[in-house]
Amino acid sequence: MQKHNRTLKEDFRIIKRAVKLIQSNTPHFLLHTYLYSFFNTAVYVMSNYITASIVDELTGAKDIKKIIFLLSMYAAEIILKIFQDYSWRKVRTFNIIANKWEEVLLNSKSFSMDYPNMENPSVRAKRQLIEDSRGTGGLGMLMEHFIPLFTGINKLVLCSLVSLELFFRHSDKALSGFEKFIDTPLFTVAFFVFVALCAVGEYKTTSKYNRLAVEKVKDISLTERLLHYFLDDYIDDSKAQKDIHIFNQKGLIRHLSDKIYHKWLKGNKELLALQRKRNNRYNMFYVLTTSATYLFVAMKTYIGAFGLGGFIKYQFCVARIVEAAESFSGAVTALRTNNDYLEIFFDYLDTPTEMHYGTIPTEKRMDNKYDIEFHNVSFRYPESDSYALKNVNLKFAVGDSIAVVGMNGSGKTTMIKLLCRLYDPTEGYITLNGIDIQKYDYEDYLDLFSVVFQDFRLFSFSVGENVSAQVDFDEEKVWSSLEKAGMLERVKAMPKELRTPVYKDFEEDGVEISGGEAQKLAISRALYKDAAFVILDEPTASLDPIAENEIYSRFHEMVKDKTAVYISHRLSSCRFCDRILVFHEGRLIQDGSHKKLLEDTQGKYYELWNAQAQYYAEN
Ligand code: ADP
């Protein structure tokens, strides 16, 4: 993560927003965090106070009743400890909840995000950065950093209150010249000014070193991630083993990981050096203030301003005030560092919704008469300078079977993404039965499409859940979809049939399936949805020739009266379609039947067809 250059005000705004967010889920988190640090501080201030009072009594009036009363006060300490323990459990629980809540917020944002943003490289990079930096910050960590902050405040307030007495404690004895000065408020003020200066000095130096240490930790965590990538992700990845062996990558991996390891070690040594320097400075201020406090309190005791108990009490309290500065500086540094994470976190949550989601419900038609038309559509991907589609005019007629062909990068998949409203055109518009598709209710519109994308994903859930995308599925319909896609026998042979988990990620009795079988399951899923448009984007890439032939020969029967669109590189499979669309460099350059397109011997289709025909002939 980059080093922040936010102002204090901006940091405060981020913290305020994060606190509000946590409180919307766990309303009492701040209260309990405060109470926990209050009880924590109160326990030892009280304990010291009682000890000091008993010492005063033992060295003074020796009133036994008072001594017994003071001893019984230790019982009150137990009550404070019970409260402290209760608040601690609350704080821990809130903390665990906050960590999960953070994930929930991120995921629900991802779920509700416009599709273009989910593919947008900078939005994806932000999410990746958040995932990579989870250990360095977060809502849970923000809560943790409030503990030293409140502890610092509480120490300062409670101990200052006790120390205030110092201004009013005077000796009853007849004092000589310098002794008189010790007894004056001026002496006490001078002492407190000295302590305050030490506390400020300590705050400044520890803040500086804390900040440097945090930057160092970030550098180290980057090298740690790289080490983790080589030693865990890559070497452990079973898919990488073939490459490691065939290309003999061992030497390269060893060289790179050794280099990173040395960088990591160097970083750690530098971190230790920084911490040592910080501790040395802290110790210097601590010794300075502690000796000054001892001296001050000893002198006051000597002139008879208070007894031995006062000596114990005030020395303790002044030392805690100095400690408070360190607590405070640590907490402020930690909170500001945590903001590096929260800033990206909020930035991600603030990703705007720009798509128009529409309200008109789509007509539910038994005859599937959904006419979709592209009107002079051009499209550029976000953050891209060039057009992926240019001036496309196109009409899909009901029941057509359409093949889309063209070279890699010619815009075929992009056209499908626009058709399914994963993206909206940059220029031009698309209509469904004459109405701009942006006016239709988004989910209603998506219901019209079933797509098997090249890079589809299956869940590590059961076959039935995968095919139906539902928990309670229609078994008969699942079987029928599997049969159409040629997967029936394979699933029948699985140990729990439709209930068999796909993959072994979570269940021992899961089944590993081949790429071709996964594709057949994806096709079954597309058929189960029973949408008006069935689109197969290079669906046969992982299928063997027999399976491919099976799918194509049955495809028309599979989709019946629906509009079928499929993208394929194998032109031999496309020629049976009613209509072939040829894309080239983002433009729709030819549109017609196989026969008609071949007649144009100067056309792209003729060129593509002959290139493949030649390939098949030679092989
Ligand atoms: P095809 O399906 O014909 O292989 P695509 O429609 O996938 O081609 O791609 C058309 C053009 O758009 C290509 O130049 C490709 O690099 C670009 N492209 C595809 N997806 C994205 C994306 N998410 N962001 C930016 N450019 C993209």
Side-chain angles (χ1 to χ4, degrees), residues 119 381 388 407-414:
E119 264 195 15
Y381 280 97
M407 303 203 304
N408 279 338
S410 57
K412 304 181 294 290
T413 305
T414 305

Side-chain angles (χ1 to χ4, degrees), residues 119 121 381-382 384 386-388 406-415 417 423 454 537 567 569:
E119 264 195 15
Y381 280 97
S384 172
S386 54
Y387 280 89
M407 303 203 304
N408 279 338
S410 57
K412 304 181 294 290
T413 305
T414 305
M415 185 273 288
K417 286 181 186 165
Y423 284 91
Q454 267 172 297
D537 184 357
I567 302 180
H569 276 303

Side-chain angles (χ1 to χ4, degrees), residues 569-584:
H569 276 303
R570 302 185 206 190
L571 300 195
S572 54
S573 323
C574 302
R575 66 185 148 155
F576 306 108
C577 289
D578 306 330
R579 194 175 157 201
I580 297 169
L581 308 174
V582 186
F583 277 81
H584 186 61

